Amino acid sequence: MTKGDTEYQLLLEGSTETKEKIKRPNKSLLLAICAACIGGTFQYGYNISIINAPTKSVQNFINHTWLERYDEDISEQYLTLLWSSIVSIFTIGGFVGATIGGTLAIRFGRKGTLMMNNAFALLAALLMGLSYPTGLFELLIVGRFFTGVNAGIGICVQPLYLGEIAPRALRGAMAMGTSIFITGGILTGQVIGLNELLGKEEHWPILLCTTCIPAFLQLLILPWFPESPRYLLIDRGDDVGCRNAMKQLHGTDNFDREREDMERERVSAIGIKPKKPWQLFMDRSLRWQVLTIILLNAAQQLNGINAIYFYTDYVFEEAGIPEVNIPYVTVGTGACECLTALTCGMLIDSLGRKVLIIGGYTLMAFWCICFTLTLTFQGAGLWMPYLSMGCVFAFILSFGLGPGGVTNILTTELFTQTSRPAAYMIGGSVNWLSFFFIGMVFPFIVVGSKCLQPLYLTFK
């Protein structure tokens, strides 16, 4: 095993961090993380879940608009295609955001990119709000695309910012802010989508416009906090700015060890330009790191976790849950993952990354098998639908305890300053393309399974 492979193994297991004494984070550091996350990964989670509540309302709007335009009802298949497009164009926007996020982070800085990124969220809110009064459902597609661009840049740049402002001993726990705010965004979207709030049919344009609120909050709060110290020193050569940022974030002048670590990285990066994504593929010393982020980002989406959030009503309807209870069960799934994200933050530095990833995927596979069995024997008793629901909750818990929390922070830890933005572009692109595949294909799988159900019952 080469030296590079050994360092990679240590990073993956988290052993280099657990040897250091864990200190309490400074209040300023915690507030900076919240300020970065509210307009970053919170938006990502919020816009994943918010689209589920107005499903039928938006479909009725499309059908009504189609009837007014063409004097005929839209076919069910074409309506499914349009709805899938509205849902899945979010992931295409995310892919675009991920491909430009790393470049923007190098040019404008981590904080500067996060601030600029809010323009996409504000534009998306405006377009989606105008779709109903103008009778143009196409504006929903364009608005969701810009929402995706915002989420793609946010989920690329925000973990980069968090990983660079946190002290080494706290990096694992602090970087969990990414997962905590994703799950917090999912839960918030589910709660706001309840009928008691903005879930009624006449409120769906307002519901989709609420994506502007986190953007405004970040524009108000983030300017009070500094740029990434690593970016200031290594990319900009601003030693004074770096020291001031570290003093504000750490709350003390005693940051010599962190400063020495940055200086070593700065010296090693002298004369080396930031790498492009294709250069990482050609660098044999990074082969395992690149392969790791590709596999983990693909698996994070292809395991189907976000299909549950995009199409929660479909999943629980097929599981036999009464329609009146589905919105509240949906909120339960968000609360479930939010709880596990907090738990993972406490376990990540003690158990290590590898244990949580392997253990999480193993449990997810087990609960998928159980869910399949409960759906197959759904008629065995009145309690069977609730057993199916329990399997979905257990699946979400397993994801949040392992892959959901760990995947997002590995890119920061496995790559140096010159290759980190390109690594985030690769991981983000794979993540969003896999996300698009799941979002686009899942509703057709649901329709296909309904068509096959009578045939299944005949042979049964």
Side-chain angles (χ1 to χ4, degrees):
M1 183 180 288
T2 65
K3 181 181 177 182
D5 290 340
T6 303
E7 291 175 351
Y8 160 73
Q9 185 70 14
L10 289 172
L11 280 167
L12 185 59
E13 293 177 3
S15 56
T16 54
E17 293 184 20
T18 55
K19 291 179 181 178
E20 298 186 32
K21 184 179 179 180
I22 304 297
K23 301 176 183 178
R24 284 186 177 182
N26 180 44
K27 185 193 296 183
S28 181
L29 175 62
L30 291 174
L31 292 174
I33 289 171
C34 292
C37 290
I38 193 67
T41 49
F42 180 89
Q43 284 275 42
Y44 171 81
Y46 186 76
N47 285 295
I48 285 174
S49 64
I50 202 71
I51 198 65
N52 181 66
T55 299
K56 292 181 180 178
S57 302
V58 174
Q59 288 178 345
N60 289 338
F61 165 64
I62 293 172
N63 194 28
H64 179 71
T65 304
W66 191 274
L67 183 62
E68 285 188 342
R69 288 185 190 177
Y70 307 108
D71 292 325
E72 61 180 7
D73 288 326
I74 189 172
S75 67
E76 183 178 352
Q77 188 173 9
Y78 196 59
L79 179 62
T80 302
L81 178 62
L82 279 175
W83 175 243
S84 296
S85 299
I86 291 171
V87 173
S88 300
I89 198 68
F90 172 76
T91 61
I92 297 298
F95 172 74
V96 172
T99 56
I100 64 175
T103 304
L104 293 174
I106 294 170
R107 184 170 182 180
F108 300 105
R110 286 45 165 159
K111 174 186 169 183
T113 302
L114 288 172
M115 293 290 290
M116 292 168 54
N117 188 35
N118 291 298
F120 292 109
L122 297 176
L123 178 59
L126 177 64
L127 291 173
M128 290 189 290
L130 289 174
S131 62
Y132 181 75
T134 58
L136 296 171
F137 58 77
E138 292 85 355
L139 289 180
L140 290 174
I141 299 175
V142 179
R144 284 285 292 177
F145 173 79
F146 284 119
T147 301
V149 174
N150 170 265
I153 294 174
I155 206 167
C156 176
V157 179
Q158 181 220 289
L160 187 60
Y161 180 70
L162 264 56
E164 292 181 358
I165 66 174
R168 178 178 291 275
L170 292 169
R171 194 170 293 161
M174 292 299 98
M176 283 303 300
T178 296
S179 296
I180 291 169
F181 273 84
I182 287 176
T183 56
I186 290 171
L187 178 60
T188 304
Q190 291 168 339
V191 171
I192 291 179
L194 292 174
N195 283 334
E196 289 82 355
L197 296 175
L198 295 177
K200 294 181 180 178
E201 184 165 359
E202 62 270 21
H203 292 153
W204 70 261
I206 301 173
L207 180 64
L208 295 182
C209 282
T210 54
T211 187
C212 68
I213 297 174
F216 279 126
L217 287 174
Q218 186 174 70
L219 288 171
L220 289 172
I221 301 170
L222 190 57
W224 297 96
F225 298 96
E227 178 59 88
S228 158
R230 282 183 179 271
Y231 174 79
L232 291 172
L233 181 66
I234 299 172
D235 292 85
R236 289 285 179 251
D238 185 358
D239 184 60
V240 175
C242 172
R243 287 183 178 277
N244 290 336
M246 293 184 75
K247 185 176 181 179
Q248 180 180 351
L249 293 169
H250 295 195
T252 176
D253 292 324
N254 186 22
F255 46 75
D256 291 340
R257 189 172 181 180
E258 292 289 327
R259 179 67 178 72
E260 288 172 5
D261 182 50
M262 292 183 196
E263 183 62 27
R264 282 195 299 270
E265 192 170 338
R266 186 189 70 82
V267 171
S268 66
I270 291 176
I272 301 175
K273 294 182 178 180
K275 294 184 177 181
K276 305 296 183 184
W278 56 86
Q279 291 176 314
L280 298 192
F281 287 105
M282 295 185 289
D283 190 341
R284 290 183 60 83
S285 67
L286 297 175
R287 64 190 186 281
W288 287 112
Q289 289 92 320
V290 172
L291 182 62
T292 297
I293 63 167
I294 289 175
L295 290 177
L296 289 180
N297 277 280
Q300 191 177 33
Q301 298 300 334
L302 296 178
N303 63 51
I305 187 69
N306 282 325
I308 292 176
Y309 290 125
F310 263 179
Y311 304 106
T312 310
D313 289 358
Y314 282 150
V315 172
F316 286 121
E317 184 181 335
E318 290 303 298
I321 304 300
E323 186 176 352
V324 68
N325 294 334
I326 287 178
Y328 306 99
V329 176
T330 300
V331 171
T333 62
C336 184
E337 193 179 353
C338 198
L339 178 64
T340 55
L342 292 168
T343 306
C344 185
M346 294 183 281
L347 296 176
I348 191 167
D349 285 316
S350 57
L351 294 180
R353 283 68 166 148
K354 181 186 284 187
V355 171
L356 291 175
I357 290 173
I358 295 175
Y361 278 120
T362 301
L363 287 172
M364 288 170 73
F366 172 76
W367 291 116
C368 276
I369 294 170
C370 292
F371 185 53
T372 303
L373 291 174
T374 57
L375 288 178
T376 303
F377 299 103
Q378 197 172 107
L382 295 175
W383 47 270
M384 193 60 75
Y386 296 95
L387 188 58
S388 299
M389 182 181 72
C391 291
V392 173
F393 274 79
F395 178 83
I396 294 170
L397 279 168
S398 303
F399 174 79
L401 282 173
V406 178
T407 303
N408 294 318
I409 69 170
L410 280 180
T411 310
T412 298
E413 297 181 331
L414 295 179
F415 294 88
T416 59
Q417 190 79 3
T418 55
S419 56
R420 200 172 286 141
Y424 268 103
M425 290 168 71
I426 293 172
S429 299
V430 171
N431 195 300
W432 283 103
L433 286 175
S434 303
F435 198 169
F436 171 76
F437 176 78
I438 288 293
M440 197 70 186
V441 170
F442 189 80
F444 290 98
I445 293 175
V446 172
V447 172
S449 66
K450 288 179 178 179
C451 293
L452 289 173
Q453 201 170 42
L455 183 63
Y456 165 75
L457 292 173
T458 301
F459 281 102
K460 188 176 178 182

